[in-house]
Structures are given as C-alpha cells and as structure tokens.
Amino acid sequence: MSLTLSESRGRAALIADVDYQVSLTLADDADTFESTSIVRFSCSRPGTSSFLELADGADVTVTLNGKQLPPTSYDGRRITLPDLTGDNVALVCARLPYVTNGDGMHRFVDPVDGETYVSAYCGMDNAQRVFACFDQPDLKAPITLDVSADECWTVLASGRRVEPHIPGRWRFAPTPPIPTALFVVCLGPWHSTGFEHSGRRFGWHARQSLAKELTRDSEELRRVTIACWDHYASVFREPYAFDDYHQVFVPGLNWGALETPGCVTYRDEMLPAGRISDQERQRRATVIAHEMAHMWFGNLVTMRWFDDAWLSESFADYMGFLVADRAAGFSETWVDFDAAFLPMAYAADERRSTHPVAPEPAAVTDVDAAYGNFDSLSYAKGNAVVRQLVTWLGEEDFLAGVNGYLTRHRFGTASLTDFVSALSDASGRDVAGWVDAWLRTTGFDTLTVTRDADIPVLSRTGCRPHRLRVTSYDVTDGALRPASTRTVDVGDDPVWLPEGRDRVVVPNSHADTFARLRLDRHSFTAVTAHLSAIPDPKTRAVLWTALGDLVRRAELDPCDYLDLVSRHLPGEGHSAIFEAALERARRVVARYLAADRVASALDILAVACRDALNAAPAPAVALAAVRGLASTSRDAALLGAWLAEDRTDTGIALDPRLRWDVLRRLAEIGDPAAPALVEAERRRDPSIAGELGTARASAALPDPAAKASAWNAMFSGEPSNRLFAETAQGFWSAEQHDLLAPYVECYLAEAPALAARRGQSFSLVVGHAFPTIPLGADALAMLDRALSGEVPTVLRRAWEDRRDDLALAVAVRRRFG
C-alpha cells in the first residue's frame, strides 16, 4: 500500500500540528523490538477519519483520545483513526521486526567480533517500520526519542542527549520539525572520535572492527567536516538548525548516505579496510559536503511531495561537488562528475522512464513511483542543470535567491514555484521561463559544429538556452594546445566561431551545460588522434563522454571505440577519467559485442591497463590500472603471484578489496586453484568484506554446481541486501554466456516474487541484478513478456530501463555485426 499523492494531499489538508514521542526498546538477541508512539495532532474537520502508517506490526494496540480501538482498526500497514476531534492523541504500541534489507530497523552482526549494530533507516516511507506515524514529507513534526537498550551500547540520534543518564536508557531532546523519513537512531558499541567547532560537538563513528580505519582517516574527516561547515556558514544566512553533528559509517544502508539531521549515516564501504585511494577520498568528501548541504536543502526546507525531490537532491549534489572543490581541497571533483556521472544522466534521459528534473506532481502518483525518480536525472542531470542555472544567473544572484528561499520557508515545506519566486525576486530575470525550458521538459539538446568556408559554426538542435565555453586548439607536436576559450550564448541562431578557423573546436569544453556534443569532421579526427594529449582533464572528460555516446547511438563501431581505448587509456593521466573510461569500455564489451568476441575484447582492455602501468603513471592512475588489470586479465600465473607476494609485480601492495578482486577474476576464468584460494582467503579475512568477497568469487566460478548454489542462495534464501548484490555481481559474467543463458529466463520468472516479498529497496537490488551477459532479440522478447505480467513498481522501472538499453544494444549489433 504505497501512499498516493491524492491520499497525501487529503491527509495534509486534514492533519496539522503533529508531535511525536517515540519510545523504543531494543535487544540484540531477539527478532523484534518494541515501539511505542504517542502522536499528538489537530484535525481541521472534527468527526472525520484519517490513518497512521505502521508496517508489519505484531501485538498492536491503539488508543485514540483515551479509547482503545478494536483490532480491526489495523490491517498490517495502516491504522484507521475514526471520529477525530479538534485535538487528538493516539497511543500505539507494537512489536516490529528487525530487517536485513535496509528498509527499517536494520540489524547487523559483525562476523569479526560478534558485535551487534542496529540502525533505523527511514528514507522514503520506511519510518512506519520503526514507529507509527503520518509517513509523508509535508507533515513535518518535532520528534522526542526515548531508547532502552544494552547499557554497553552507544546510542546516536538527531536530538541532543538529555541528562541525567540512566544505565540502559537514553533520552533525546525534541528535534525541530522534520519529516518522518529523516528520523534516525543508531545503536551499538561504536568506535568514536569527536571534536568541537563553532561551539558545537561533532562526532565520527564506526563499528569496532573498523576502529583502525576510522583512526587512519579521522584527521581528514575532521578537516573536511570543518571546511564544509565553515563554507556553508559563510554562504547561507540561515544558521544550522539542529543540535550536534554526528556522522556514522553504518552497515547495510541502501542509499550512499542519508541526510538525517544532526546524525548523518553513510555506507561503511566509505571506510574501506587497508587503503583508501585518492579517488575514494575525493568522492567521500563530495558526499560529506552533499549531506551537509541537505541540512538546509531538505531538512530546514522540505519538499511537499516527491515531484520536488530535486529541491533536495539536485542542489545537494551540486553543492557537494562544488564545496568539496572550493572548501575541502579536492580540486578535481568536477572532472570526476563529468567523466563518471554525466554519462549515466544522458543515458537515463533517453529511456522511456525519463522524467523532467522537476516533474508535475500528478506524474508522481505514489511513493513507489517516486522511489524510481531518485535516479541519475534527479542527481546528475539535476546537478548539471543547476550548474547551468548558476552560469546563466551568475553566482551572486543565485545565492541571493537561495537565501531568500531558505528564510521564507525555514522549518516548513516548499515547491518549485516557491524557489522560482525567490530567484526571480533576487535576480530580476525571467527565471520561470528558464525553468519551463530546463526543469519541466525531458531530454536534452544537441550542440553541433559544422564548417562554412572553414569557419566553425555552432548550432543547437533543441529548445533550451545555453551559456557555455568553447575552446579552440592548434595541433602542435602531436598534441592539442589550447589557442582560445570564450563564453557564448547559444539559442535559435547559429554562433560563428572565426577564432576556430583551421583549428580544432570543442564546444562545452568545460561541461557548462547539459547537451549532446557532435564535432565537425576535422575536429573529430584530431580529437580521436590526440585525445590523451589534451591538457585539460575537464575537456578530456567531456570528449570521452561524447565518444561513448556515439557508440550507444550506433554512430561509432564498438570495435573502433575499443581501439580508441587501447590507444588513449595508457596515456590518461587522471585517475577518475581512467576509471570511468575503463568502466564504460567494459559495458561496451558486455552489451554491444557478440558472446564469442567478449574474451578477446577484454584482452584488449587488459593490455591497455598493462601498457598504462608500464608507463609508470602517478600513483592514483597506477592503482586504477592495477584494479583494471585485476578485473580483465586472463593471466592466472600473474594474478596468483600477486596473491602469493601480496603485491603486484609493479610494487603496489594488495589491500583487501584488491585481493578479493583478484580472487574473483581467478574464479571467473576457471583457474583450478581458485576454490582453494578463495577458501584460504575466507579464513584470512573474517570480516563482512570477506563474507561478501567469498560469495562474489564463489558465484563467479564457471561451474554448473557453483552457479546453482549461488542462484539458490539468492532466490531461495533470505540474504541481506549486500549479500544478494555481491553474489549477483559474481554470478553474471559476460565471458560465461553459454553457461548462464538458461538463467536469464529463470531470473525474469523468479525476480518479481522475490521483489514483492522483500520490499521497496530490495526490489531495486533485484533490478540491478539484471543479467550482464551479451543478450539479443530473443532476450528482449522474453523481457517484454515478463513486463506484460505483474511486476512490482520499483522492479518494473528497473526492468524497463534495462529493456531500453537492451534494445539499443540489439540495434548496435545489427548495424555493426
């Protein structure tokens, strides 16, 4: 029973002045926990009825205004509240189940030391799995929390802890008004490090088994937190509205992170064992800045309904990359964004599931439909569109409008109209017209360069205004050297670029706008010849994306693209571009090549990674190349020697992730020693990473019995969200097409029931487990038949996206053979 827009609006018109008192009793040796909610609220039409949400409760008792309601008032998901008065008090007591799928009160037992960690993950509409509530974003309310648990645990939550301390019991001060989705509590024997800044207490927390890693990174985490905090304090007029600021690396979170106010949660994969690469450090910094931006965008001011999720996510994504760059000292964040994230947004915007960055409310019919919109369009495209908006308005007017918006709607809810009004007031410009062109429409324009009497001409196919930089290059000594860069406005009329006569011209060279790029023949020839020698990594990222787009649109032979990778990847000096280009090439191999060509194509990628290592690159690129070689090489002797020596032949020490990558590859290529090596590594690494690595490597074995065992573990058992995902990743191998082909139909037949049973977020995990082997028209027909049946909403969205990708892959193969 996913809450609908109509129900949400009806309830918001009826209910107001909500206040929650939540009491939780949690133990680490039970399957359920006790939840008690006292919900106070007013009703604008006494005598009418409404409902609270509470999912999967047992032993539920409900008292409304002093009168106990009959058991029939609760149907397993909703509590009917009849005959409301002007002011009401509902008391709900229940036992609720712990979960392992990341939707609700998630419980995790650390295999290293047996310690238990419990955290409430309430994103979207999962607060109802923790306490009875009005689970929609526009019914914000203060929440007062009381927790009883193991007295040896540490309990973290949004509110400030209230003294005096009673062993085994924690009380927290009421929060300011927040949506129920942002409720959080994290319990367990956390290892913690803290500091004070600006008169406030800050803390970082992780599992005890990650204490070494938290100590390793604590100074950087402190530095990044303070830098981001001070930056936001300088640009936002509204002060931080909550209590202390805790940040917790938690197990099993479905989101990359969740902006729960005053107690932000992050996937604990962001605190990797052994070593953290420069690329991982930079991405973590952008997430820290992203989640902190949510304290204003989303927490202080909240969307009324999920059509305006972009008001939280697009802005936080933009601010995350911007502030990690400007304030936290990571100067290459935008290169990473342009290389790795923008390509996903372009692909998403051409699928049937595309939606405007800011869709109309009626297009987001219920919460399950909204879940699918937390995608590359709301994040990456939204980020790019905000960046174009700042380019168009100017940063000063943009920030003035943002501050006006935050002040007008502090502690309340807002919509696109409210934001446009604030920007228009601050800038005096027709922001509404710009918004209609950019935020209310789907798709993207194409920027094309042609030549007229040797003078480049830039034109637009589409309807949006663009402000962007164009760079012209001279070909000098085998490289492209920038000759000039200027900013142009592109609309209905072509833009002449006389400075580009006889030169190579690259429009949108700094990714200022969101548009497809098509070069003239002269520029394309030069770019494909000298791509890795272009000095600016931003421009290289733009061009790698454009080249990948040509493959996807069947305008460039996949084999020609792999040739470009083999020629230019070894000379790529930026680790983010290296990783993104290699990952794109791996997708090209799995999607667009026939099954009998996959192995030789992966050999090409392995040679490119080896050539990169032979060029003695910077350490970050060397690590990216080693990881690439570990996932593509067929040289079992080389990979086995790496494991035995615990370092590569180029001297790079193997961290736990790299060891498991090597083992997965040895298993995938059928090395006879792989099963024994996997078992030995499982004993050596008793962590959750070791459990997941074992599952991934075991599932990769090209053996019918191993595949059957992995399949049963995924579809016949009750694996956690992480275990299912890692097993599926090992199971599907593009090189094992003949062995895996029969499982395609099995997957399409069994996935809907599994998704329906395991819930919203797990449905997406199941959708991400779609076969990653070369598939053709027969698989497309099977998928169409499956989609004609009953498929849960979240899984259907994932399958429809894969269906569109598969149709493009079939078209590419038909054209190029």
Side-chain angles (χ1 to χ4, degrees):
M1 293 176 64
S2 179
L3 184 71
T4 67
L5 170 61
S6 175
E7 290 173 326
S8 171
R9 284 183 166 169
R11 190 162 62 176
L14 189 69
I15 303 300
D17 305 318
V18 183
D19 180 274
Y20 296 102
Q21 287 181 258
V22 178
S23 296
L24 304 173
T25 300
L26 303 105
D28 63 358
D29 58 352
D31 294 327
T32 60
F33 63 97
E34 295 178 17
S35 173
T36 300
S37 305
I38 300 175
V39 188
R40 294 180 172 86
F41 60 97
S42 64
C43 174
S44 62
R45 296 196 298 275
T48 58
S49 65
S50 188
F51 61 92
L52 289 163
E53 284 106 331
L54 181 72
D56 302 325
D59 300 334
V60 177
T61 62
V62 183
T63 302
L64 177 63
N65 297 329
K67 179 181 178 181
Q68 185 166 327
L69 299 183
T72 53
S73 65
Y74 178 58
D75 64 3
R77 191 65 182 264
R78 293 179 175 181
I79 300 168
T80 300
L81 304 175
D83 195 23
L84 295 174
T85 62
D87 294 301
N88 303 272
V89 180
L91 169 64
V92 181
C93 302
R95 285 189 300 107
L96 300 174
Y98 292 112
V99 299
T100 59
N101 62 5
D103 281 352
M105 193 67 81
H106 185 96
R107 184 173 63 178
F108 170 82
V109 179
D110 195 327
V112 173
D113 53 19
E115 295 286 3
T116 299
Y117 298 85
V118 178
S119 297
Y121 306 146
C122 296
M124 299 299 291
D125 62 345
N126 287 307
Q128 61 191 273
R129 300 181 183 278
V130 179
F131 64 100
C133 58
F134 299 114
D135 212 354
Q136 64 187 68
D138 55 345
L139 288 178
K140 298 174 72 170
I143 302 176
T144 304
L145 175 64
D146 182 297
V147 177
S148 297
D150 188 331
E151 64 182 55
C152 296
W153 282 359
T154 297
V155 180
L156 305 165
S158 291
R160 188 185 296 270
R161 186 175 173 184
V162 177
E163 300 295 343
H165 172 57
I166 301 173
R169 188 173 182 184
W170 290 259
R171 292 181 174 180
F172 296 89
T175 68
I178 61 174
T180 51
L182 296 183
F183 173 85
V184 66
V185 62
C186 301
L187 308 94
W190 304 105
H191 177 75
S192 304
T193 181
F195 57 93
E196 290 190 3
H197 179 68
S198 299
R200 199 175 301 275
R201 183 69 180 169
F202 291 77
W204 278 98
H205 313 269
R207 289 182 280 122
Q208 286 288 340
S209 61
L210 292 174
K212 179 180 177 181
E213 284 70 26
L214 185 59
T215 300
R216 175 197 68 196
D217 293 350
S218 61
E219 181 52 37
E220 177 170 295
L221 293 170
R222 175 183 179 276
R223 181 188 64 79
V224 170
T225 299
I226 290 174
C228 296
W229 185 274
D230 289 347
H231 183 86
Y232 289 127
S234 71
V235 299
F236 294 149
R237 290 198 302 263
E238 288 296 322
Y240 172 73
F242 306 97
D243 285 330
D244 293 338
Y245 198 78
H246 294 284
Q247 297 175 90
V248 195
F249 293 107
V250 295
L253 185 64
N254 285 311
W255 308 84
L258 200 58
E259 66 271 21
T260 38
C263 186
V264 179
T265 52
Y266 301 85
R267 282 183 176 230
D268 58 13
E269 287 91 341
M270 292 187 186
L271 194 65
R275 170 176 56 208
I276 182 168
S277 70
D278 290 346
Q279 180 72 0
E280 290 166 329
R281 290 172 53 240
Q282 177 175 281
R283 286 195 178 178
R284 186 173 67 187
T286 66
V287 177
I288 292 170
H290 175 120
E291 302 309 323
M292 195 179 291
H294 273 307
M295 299 304 125
W296 289 265
F297 288 103
N299 297 6
L300 180 67
V301 182
T302 305
M303 62 188 173
R304 293 197 182 103
W305 182 245
F306 295 100
D307 56 306
D308 280 319
W310 74 281
L311 282 171
S312 295
E313 299 306 339
S314 299
F315 284 93
D317 210 58
Y318 169 75
M319 297 301 291
F321 283 89
L322 179 74
V323 175
D325 176 2
R326 286 192 183 174
F330 293 90
S331 60
E332 300 294 335
T333 60
W334 289 116
V335 175
D336 184 27
F337 175 77
D338 297 337
F341 296 94
L342 272 183
M344 294 187 288
Y346 287 120
D349 217 4
E350 290 193 304
R351 298 185 181 119
R352 287 175 298 166
S353 63
T354 188
H355 58 86
V357 173
E360 295 290 346
V364 187
T365 54
D366 59 21
V367 179
D368 280 352
Y371 188 93
N373 284 0
F374 283 80
D375 56 10
S376 292
L377 299 171
S378 293
Y379 286 82
K381 181 182 177 181
N383 180 335
V385 170
V386 172
R387 185 157 44 151
Q388 174 63 189
L389 174 61
V390 175
T391 301
W392 181 73
L393 273 181
E395 189 166 326
E396 183 177 347
D397 284 348
F398 173 75
L399 285 174
V402 163
N403 278 305
Y405 164 80
L406 293 173
T407 297
R408 290 177 195 176
H409 304 286
R410 64 191 305 269
F411 294 124
T413 59
S415 66
L416 171 63
T417 302
D418 299 317
F419 187 72
V420 169
S421 175
L423 288 180
S424 297
D425 290 347
S427 66
R429 302 184 68 177
D430 177 21
V431 179
W434 190 96
V435 162
D436 286 342
W438 275 100
L439 298 180
R440 289 299 199 193
T441 60
T442 61
F444 47 86
D445 296 349
T446 299
L447 300 174
T448 303
V449 180
T450 55
R451 300 267 170 171
D452 188 340
D454 295 330
I455 295 178
V457 180
L458 177 60
S459 59
R460 175 201 70 183
T461 302
C463 60
R464 300 165 184 86
H466 300 267
R467 176 165 290 179
L468 56 102
R469 281 168 283 185
V470 180
T471 302
S472 299
Y473 297 85
D474 291 321
V475 181
T476 306
D477 298 327
L480 295 181
R481 305 297 181 191
S484 68
T485 297
R486 72 176 172 112
T487 299
V488 300
D489 288 294
V490 183
D492 294 334
D493 298 326
V495 177
W496 289 64
L497 304 168
E499 72 276 13
R501 184 192 294 269
D502 299 325
R503 287 177 169 152
V504 175
V505 174
V506 179
N508 202 28
S509 55
H510 291 67
D512 297 309
T513 194
F514 187 75
R516 171 170 280 144
L517 182 61
R518 291 295 182 260
L519 304 179
D520 64 282
R521 182 178 298 276
H522 171 67
S523 298
F524 179 83
T525 300
V527 162
T528 54
H530 306 293
L531 176 57
S532 56
I534 295 173
D536 191 338
K538 289 182 181 179
T539 306
R540 296 201 304 276
V542 167
L543 291 169
W544 274 111
T545 296
L547 291 169
D549 180 61
L550 289 172
V551 178
R552 189 171 176 276
R553 301 305 306 172
E555 297 175 44
L556 178 66
D557 191 321
C559 293
D560 291 340
Y561 179 79
L562 293 176
D563 178 64
L564 288 170
V565 172
S566 70
R567 287 191 286 121
H568 292 296
L569 195 64
E572 177 51 59
H574 198 288
S575 60
I577 299 176
F578 190 102
E579 289 182 9
L582 181 60
E583 180 58 29
R584 169 78 63 100
R586 288 172 59 85
R587 288 199 298 271
V588 165
V589 170
R591 289 182 181 178
Y592 302 127
L593 298 187
D596 59 0
R597 301 177 70 181
V598 168
S600 60
L602 289 178
D603 290 342
I604 292 173
L605 301 184
V607 170
C609 291
R610 170 53 74 183
D611 288 346
L613 286 170
N614 292 341
V621 176
L623 180 59
V626 162
R627 288 177 172 171
L629 190 56
S631 65
T632 56
S633 176
R634 209 177 308 281
D635 190 339
L638 174 71
L639 299 178
W642 284 9
L643 286 175
E645 297 295 328
D646 205 24
R647 65 181 52 249
T648 70
D649 58 310
T650 58
I652 296 177
L654 268 62
D655 55 31
R657 169 189 161 180
L658 193 47
R659 290 186 66 84
W660 282 113
D661 284 348
V662 170
L663 284 162
R664 182 261 174 101
R665 185 58 181 161
L666 286 171
E668 188 174 38
I669 61 177
D671 178 41
L677 290 171
V678 169
E679 175 59 22
E681 193 68 19
R682 184 190 67 80
R683 296 196 190 99
R684 167 181 165 139
D685 182 3
S687 69
I688 183 60
E691 283 192 3
L692 298 177
T694 299
R696 184 171 62 249
S698 299
L701 290 165
D703 172 71
K707 295 300 183 187
S709 176
W711 188 265
N712 288 333
M714 287 189 289
F715 285 90
S716 298
E718 290 291 316
S720 69
N721 50 358
R722 292 291 194 275
L723 187 58
F724 184 96
E726 294 296 321
T727 305
Q729 188 182 83
F731 184 89
W732 297 112
S733 169
E735 296 163 276
Q736 298 171 0
H737 176 273
D738 291 347
L739 177 61
L740 295 173
Y743 281 99
V744 175
E745 190 168 9
C746 295
Y747 168 79
L748 295 174
E750 297 180 36
L754 177 62
R757 186 173 78 251
R758 297 300 301 274
Q760 188 184 75
S761 294
F762 205 90
S763 292
L764 189 60
V765 176
V766 175
H768 286 167
F770 192 88
T772 54
I773 62 176
L775 299 173
D778 55 341
L780 188 62
M782 280 194 291
L783 179 53
D784 283 337
R785 287 195 295 272
L787 285 168
S788 68
E790 291 293 326
V791 180
T793 301
V794 175
L795 179 62
R796 175 175 292 279
R797 163 68 187 272
W799 276 6
E800 286 176 345
D801 288 350
R802 299 292 77 76
R803 194 263 178 218
D804 291 344
D805 294 342
L806 180 53
L808 286 173
V810 170
V812 169
R813 288 203 205 103
R814 284 174 178 165
R815 174 161 187 184
F816 295 110

